[in-house]
């Protein structure tokens, strides 16, 4: 597993933060099985999608229990906790925050009342009309005589909490009916996995930006962000949840309803970096896509070199493809400490000046005197690649040629990936040779946009490529109605009140 230990290529430096995933979701309906433990293992397989907090909700048919906390899945849950969470269905979540700050109140699953009981919700993605949904919540509260219900009252400031609140429908409505009315009004990227006391639900936005799959157990069903989570719990892959589809799973089996017409725009960055290499998205192996990106990169950008090495781990498949196509031998130039995760104690500035190498160490015996091609998946700010080039030179490499298996990242993502602001993206406003000089490489080359898309084997019109092209397939609200802290603005001292500044005071 490339990144399940919580170490991303772009996290190789203590201060560097690269493209962060936006959450993993999991759900299981399986009477007679230990659903809390299955969910734990499912989340463990999805840990690379979010490492800030983790949570599980279970239902025994009468009552929903939620346990959540900050940290990695393995830090949040102990066996005794999981043993105490009985039931026949469960959902789980591991979070990387894209709307709402990273703190306990914003961890998921979120809980809220419904006319018939309780709903628990886990969300992967990022909504683009959170301000409109907040208006809807505000209207509901006013109609309810000012009564605030659910986690919003406890300070949850996420788009997920708004949806949970809005799933509290009219008296007499089932949760399924409320969801089918609400989902067409929700915009942006979303994979929702939610449940009441009896039924597991899964919904995917009409663009299918993020992946969501359905699997089968001997005695039940599983839904998960990525296919490898199915294999981890012994489930077989049945199919992807379709864009614009809501499925419901209970003792009557699986029901499918389409709440919107499908207009697929899958995230191309899932193929480049985000998803596990052993996943498949829209029928295409992520690993094969990455190897092919390396082959294309070699055809488009040849190099005179002695060895090809990856920046481990996510640069590895593309480096294999590059070596295969170019005929230059593949080898490893770095040793990675597999046990450094997010909880690692960050060094002080004084210690950093000693040049301590926490996560990667260069293999001098391999590199000394060699002309090196080093392959990575993407460049965001450039700090990681600058450090990589420096380490290779210190280990004796005579030349360093950096090859990147995605085009220059020039635009931010509003659909659930937290890259950086536009100003922080090194490719925004800098030419390739300027970036090469900035990171200290002898040369730098990126794959072409067409080459990347071809490697995914997906039609261009079915992909989102906005972070490379600026062509956003889902309409964005204006600046004042978007942003990670949109729903927290009113609570931030010194922050200019925006149109939602009264949200928290109203809620
Ligand atoms: S902008 Fe980039 S990262 Fe975001 S969904 Fe589109 S392709 Fe994926």
């Amino acid at each position: 597993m490339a990144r399940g230990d919580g170490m991303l290529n772009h996290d190789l430096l203590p201060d560097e933060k690269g493209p962060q995933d936006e959450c993993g979701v999991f759900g299981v309906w399986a009477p007679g099985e230990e659903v809390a433990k299955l969910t734990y293992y499912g989340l463990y397989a999805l840990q690379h999608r979010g490492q800030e907090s983790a949570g599980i909700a279970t239902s025994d048919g009468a009552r929903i229990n939620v346990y959540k906390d900050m940290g990695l899945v393995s830090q949040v849950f102990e066996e005794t906790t999981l043993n105490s969470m009985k039931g026949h269905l469960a959902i789980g979540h591991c979070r990387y925050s894209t709307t709402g700050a990273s703190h306990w109140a914003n961890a998921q699953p979120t809980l809220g009342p419904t006319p018939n009981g309780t709903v628990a919700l886990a969300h992967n993605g990022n909504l683009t009309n959170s301000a409109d949904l907040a208006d809807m919540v505000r209207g509901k509260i006013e109609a309810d005589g000012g009564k605030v219900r659910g986690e919003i009252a406890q300070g949850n400031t996420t788009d997920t909490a708004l949806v949970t609140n809005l799933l509290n429908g009219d008296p007499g409505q089932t949760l399924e009916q409320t969801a089918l009315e609400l989902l067409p009004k929700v915009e942006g990227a979303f994979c929702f996995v939610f449940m009441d006391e009896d039924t597991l639900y899964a919904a995917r936005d009409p663009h299918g930006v993020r992946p969501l799959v359905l699997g089968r157990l001997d005695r039940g069903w599983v839904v998960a962000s990525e296919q490898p989570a199915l294999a981890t719990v012994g489930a077989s892959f049945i199919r992807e949840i379709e864009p614009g589809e809501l499925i419901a799973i209970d003792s009557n089996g699986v029901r499918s309803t389409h709440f919107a017409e499908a207009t697929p725009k899958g995230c191309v960055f899932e193929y480049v970096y985000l998803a596990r290499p052993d996943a498949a998205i829209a029928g295409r192996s992520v690993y094969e896509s990455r190897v092919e990106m390396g082959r294309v990169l070699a055809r488009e950008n040849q190099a005179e070199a002695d060895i090809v090495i990856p920046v481990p781990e996510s640069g590895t498949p593309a480096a294999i493809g590059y070596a295969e196509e170019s005929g230059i031998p593949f080898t490893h130039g770095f040793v990675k400490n597999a046990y450094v995760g997010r909880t690692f104690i960050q060094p002080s500035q004084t210690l950093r000046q000693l040049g301590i190498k926490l996560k990667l160490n260069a293999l001098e015996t391999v590199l000394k005197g060699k002309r090196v091609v080093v392959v990575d998946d993407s460049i965001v700010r450039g700090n990681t690649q600058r450090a990589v080039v420096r380490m290779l030179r210190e280990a004796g490499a005579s030349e360093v040629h950096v090859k990147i298996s995605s085009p220059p990242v020039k635009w931010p993502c509003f659909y659930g990936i937290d890259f950086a602001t536009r100003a922080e993206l090194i490719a925004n406003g800098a030419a390739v040779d300027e970036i090469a000089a900035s990171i200290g490489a002898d040369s730098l080359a990126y794959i072409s946009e067409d080459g990347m898309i071809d490697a995914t084997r997906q039609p261009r019109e079915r992909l989102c490529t906005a972070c490379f092209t600026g062509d956003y397939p889902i309409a964005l609200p204006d600046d004042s109605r978007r942003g990670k802290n949109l729903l927290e603005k009113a609570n931030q001292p010194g922050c200019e009140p925006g149109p939602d500044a009264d949200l928290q005071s109203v809620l």
Side-chain angles (χ1 to χ4, degrees), residues 9-13 15-19 311 376 378-390 402 404 409 419-421 423-428 430 434-441 444 446:
N9 272 13
H10 300 272
D11 279 344
L12 294 173
L13 292 175
D15 296 333
E16 175 77 329
K17 196 180 78 162
V311 179
D376 205 352
S378 56
I379 300 182
V380 179
R381 293 175 180 80
N383 295 336
T384 295
Q385 289 72 26
R386 196 172 296 117
V388 161
V389 171
R390 191 177 59 240
V402 178
I404 303 296
V409 176
F419 281 125
T421 63
E424 291 170 308
L425 297 169
I426 192 170
N428 171 34
E434 292 171 321
I435 301 169
S438 170
I439 63 174
L444 167 67
Y446 293 86

Side-chain angles (χ1 to χ4, degrees), residues 5 7 28 39 46 49 91-92 142 154 161 197 240 423 440 474:
D5 58 3
M7 192 177 84
V28 54
T39 305
L46 298 170
R49 296 188 75 86
I91 62 170
E142 282 165 11
Q154 295 146 27
E197 286 77 359
E240 294 196 358
I474 306 173

Side-chain angles (χ1 to χ4, degrees), residues 8 59 73 79 81 123 155 164 193 197 201 292 363 368-369 470:
L8 315 182
S59 171
V73 177
E79 186 148 15
T81 311
H123 171 208
T164 308
V193 173
E197 286 77 359
Y201 298 92
E292 182 63 16
L363 272 164
K368 200 168 183 58

